[in-house]
Amino acid sequence: MIEIKGNVFDKNCQPVPNAYLDFWQASPDGKYDNIGNEFRGHQKCDNFGGFSLKTLRPGSYSGRTPHIHVRISWKRKFLVTQLYFKDEPQNRTDYFFDSKLILIF
């Protein structure tokens, strides 16, 4: 089990209260549940943009390093991104990998 805690900030580094977050990821063995809701969820940030997610570490699958997808929605605006894990060997070969999006535990 891992726990990811953080805050959502706007482009001016101000907290985004009550932002809506959608998370989805592969299972630990690298499979997506495209029928049900396993390893998928959503939550609303607190008044200071804070959130906390408890999940299992996702597995890798063909050509992708382990990652968690996040969609942040607020006031009819949204951002879709991915969160990555440090020291994953597949980070070097994943086309979408961005070192600025590494989770810090």
Side-chain angles (χ1 to χ4, degrees):
M1 179 75 67
I2 59 172
E3 183 173 14
I4 301 168
K5 293 182 178 185
N7 292 79
V8 176
F9 296 98
D10 66 16
K11 63 183 177 182
N12 298 314
C13 295
Q14 297 300 307
V16 177
N18 305 312
Y20 191 78
L21 304 176
D22 287 300
F23 297 97
W24 67 99
Q25 69 182 69
S27 66
D29 61 350
K31 295 185 173 91
Y32 279 98
D33 179 1
N34 293 318
I35 297 171
N37 291 311
E38 192 171 54
F39 295 104
R40 297 172 185 271
H42 57 269
Q43 63 179 273
K44 192 174 180 182
C45 290
D46 65 21
N47 289 334
F48 305 99
F51 69 91
S52 177
L53 171 70
K54 290 183 181 179
T55 187
L56 297 178
R57 190 175 173 126
S60 61
Y61 57 92
S62 66
R64 296 301 318 272
T65 194
H67 60 281
I68 298 173
H69 298 270
V70 184
R71 182 179 196 259
I72 305 166
S73 305
W74 185 63
K75 291 188 177 180
R76 296 187 178 176
K77 297 179 183 177
F78 67 91
L79 168 73
V80 179
T81 190
Q82 298 175 48
L83 304 174
Y84 298 97
F85 298 88
K86 186 178 180 180
D87 299 328
E88 280 290 336
Q90 288 182 303
N91 287 349
R92 293 187 303 267
T93 58
D94 188 320
Y95 177 79
F96 296 104
F97 174 75
D98 185 335
S99 63
K100 294 184 294 273
L101 301 173
I102 291 176
L103 292 163
I104 300 171
F105 289 96

